[in-house]
Amino acid sequence: MLVVRPVCSADLPALERLASSASPRLTNLPAHRDRLEERIARSRLAFSREVEFPGDEHYTFVLEDLQRDAVVGTATIRAQAGSREAYYTYRQETLIHASQQLNVRREVPTLSLSHEVSEASQLCAFSLDARYKGTSAESLLRRARLMFIAQYPERFAEILAMAFPGYLDEEGESPFWDSVGRHFFVRDYQEINYLAGVRSKSFIAEVMPQFPLYLALLTPQARAAIGREHPDHEQALAEMLGEGFLRSRHVDIFDAGPVVKGERDRLATFRRAAWHPVRIRPAHTLPDAEPAMVANQRLEDFRCVVARYALSPTGQLMLSSEHASRLGVEEGRAVLASPLALPGLGEGGGDEHDPGYDEGEL
């Protein structure tokens, strides 16, 4: 039995383990005990607050395997990506260089420092025990955050964003960083990635160049890395594209990993979510049905599990007593359910139709 719930103080050792084992290491989940303690405290405060609009709240969740009595994953929502300080990205743009006298017109691709993503709510800091990758547990942890947002929309922005780790070479170094950032920070990628996680990111605006970067001046390896996800995150990106997120023109400023954005009301989990009163029945009597994410409606005691989407003729969601107990719901109490499977994803998990760029980014 797997359940997603808010993080608590006792989860600190598990967060340390997950931060250390993340592939690649994550800026927003540093393997630093003090920062992880702060993350837990900040999350507990966010869940306890009365919130009318998104601010500097961080909501951190964990995935718990109740049979093993172990926390095996974690994921976070930042209510506003740039609430305390601007959230910087590079935006892919095109400049026109033309001369009528020489009869020359060239479209030159560039990268410009941007903080447009600052107003979005960010899904971030995802790390999962390797034994659970490629299973329904991965989808549950990643998308249970959407089930939470669906219940408390006032706490989050209309636009959601996710930044995926970028491409690294066999030595774990970023070709993009080596071609750009290293010239200004004189530090390797792994070191700067760690520093950005344990310190303020204000140094980005202080040191990084404010003028557009001409892609033609970067190395071929750096250009090839722009918008390219880390191999370990290919399936995750495919799932989020299947959810309804779209590739944006923004990329990470360190490794040029892709940033995807989505209007929350157009995402599959939101569009297909429905409220149902609970009807508790013995597990062996439940009809066969597709799996669904099922969440209770308790803010501080939020719970989300995978259960059969089995409805009675009157629209009640039939749950086993075990699932009802894990959700903390009684018969007649309403729960939110949304199918676990996503439309548009093939058997291999890849996106069948690349949606291209968000039209609003063109």
Side-chain angles (χ1 to χ4, degrees):
M1 175 69 75
L2 299 171
V3 61
V4 173
R5 60 167 174 79
V7 71
C8 66
S9 299
D11 298 324
L12 178 59
L15 288 193
E16 288 184 288
R17 184 182 69 255
L18 290 164
S20 297
S21 62
S23 176
R25 294 293 182 91
L26 303 177
T27 304
N28 48 37
L29 188 65
H32 189 284
R33 189 178 186 87
D34 291 345
R35 293 295 172 266
L36 294 175
E37 285 182 333
E38 291 175 9
R39 177 181 296 270
I40 293 172
R42 190 171 183 179
S43 177
R44 289 170 63 83
L45 178 61
F47 278 101
S48 66
R49 277 181 179 174
E50 290 187 9
V51 175
E52 297 180 356
F53 50 86
D56 65 353
E57 298 84 21
H58 284 203
Y59 303 87
T60 296
F61 302 84
V62 295
L63 176 67
E64 185 176 6
D65 186 332
L66 299 173
Q67 289 182 321
R68 295 180 53 216
D69 190 25
V71 168
V72 298
T74 184
T76 294
I77 313 170
R78 296 174 65 180
Q80 191 176 63
S83 58
R84 292 189 175 182
E85 55 191 22
Y87 180 84
Y88 286 98
T89 61
Y90 273 126
R91 179 184 169 99
Q92 300 179 72
E93 299 177 346
T94 300
L95 294 180
I96 305 298
H97 289 252
S99 170
Q100 290 184 345
Q101 290 183 338
L102 298 178
N103 193 28
V104 172
R105 184 182 186 278
R106 296 293 301 275
E107 296 184 0
V108 182
T110 65
L111 293 175
S112 295
L113 203 61
S114 168
H115 48 76
E116 294 174 17
V117 183
S118 294
E119 296 301 313
S121 291
Q122 184 186 21
L123 307 181
C124 60
F126 181 97
S127 181
L128 182 66
D129 187 304
R131 288 169 288 186
Y132 296 81
K133 291 183 179 179
T135 70
S136 61
E138 185 169 4
S139 291
L140 173 63
L141 176 59
R142 182 172 293 114
R143 292 167 54 217
R145 293 174 292 183
L146 302 180
M147 297 288 282
F148 183 79
I149 294 171
Q151 294 194 48
Y152 305 99
E154 70 281 0
R155 292 174 175 262
F156 304 98
E158 294 286 342
I159 301 297
L160 307 181
M162 294 182 71
F164 286 88
Y167 172 78
L168 304 181
D169 62 23
E170 294 179 355
E171 286 73 39
E173 295 299 328
S174 165
F176 181 80
W177 176 259
D178 288 343
S179 187
V180 179
R182 183 187 288 274
H183 297 295
F184 300 92
F185 288 93
V186 199
R187 286 182 170 90
D188 65 27
Y189 171 75
Q190 297 296 347
E191 183 181 3
I192 202 69
N193 198 41
Y194 178 77
L195 289 175
V198 300
R199 299 181 182 177
S200 167
K201 288 187 177 181
S202 60
F203 65 80
I204 295 170
E206 296 169 355
V207 181
M208 291 296 277
Q210 300 296 312
F211 300 102
L213 300 177
Y214 284 73
L215 268 60
L217 302 180
L218 305 184
T219 64
Q221 294 84 353
R223 293 197 299 271
I226 295 172
R228 181 179 176 186
E229 71 277 11
H230 189 280
D232 289 351
H233 292 259
E234 290 177 356
Q235 291 295 97
L237 177 57
E239 182 176 36
M240 289 297 95
L241 294 177
E243 175 71 55
F245 283 86
L246 298 175
R247 294 178 184 270
S248 74
R249 294 197 176 276
H250 296 268
V251 297
D252 184 81
I253 61 169
F254 291 158
D255 58 24
V259 176
V260 300
K261 296 166 69 176
E263 296 178 35
R264 66 187 189 198
D265 293 336
R266 297 176 63 178
L267 301 180
T269 294
F270 289 79
R271 290 187 289 103
R272 301 193 297 165
W275 290 98
H276 301 281
V278 169
R279 186 175 182 180
I280 301 176
R281 289 293 180 266
H284 70 275
T285 67
L286 296 178
D288 190 25
E290 65 175 326
M293 296 178 292
V294 181
N296 65 10
Q297 49 180 324
R298 297 182 178 180
L299 176 60
E300 295 185 60
D301 294 318
F302 174 81
R303 298 290 186 274
C304 188
V305 302
V306 172
R308 299 176 187 174
Y309 207 155
L311 298 180
S312 71
T314 55
Q316 295 170 306
L317 182 65
M318 292 184 281
L319 293 177
S320 68
S321 57
E322 185 179 18
H323 277 117
S325 175
R326 298 309 179 196
L327 289 168
V329 296
E330 304 170 347
E331 187 151 317
R333 178 72 66 177
V335 293
L336 185 67
S338 186
L340 185 65
L342 287 169
L345 288 181
E347 293 181 358
D351 185 49
E352 294 178 349
H353 304 287
D354 186 352
Y357 287 108
D358 180 349
E359 292 180 1
E361 294 286 341
L362 296 177

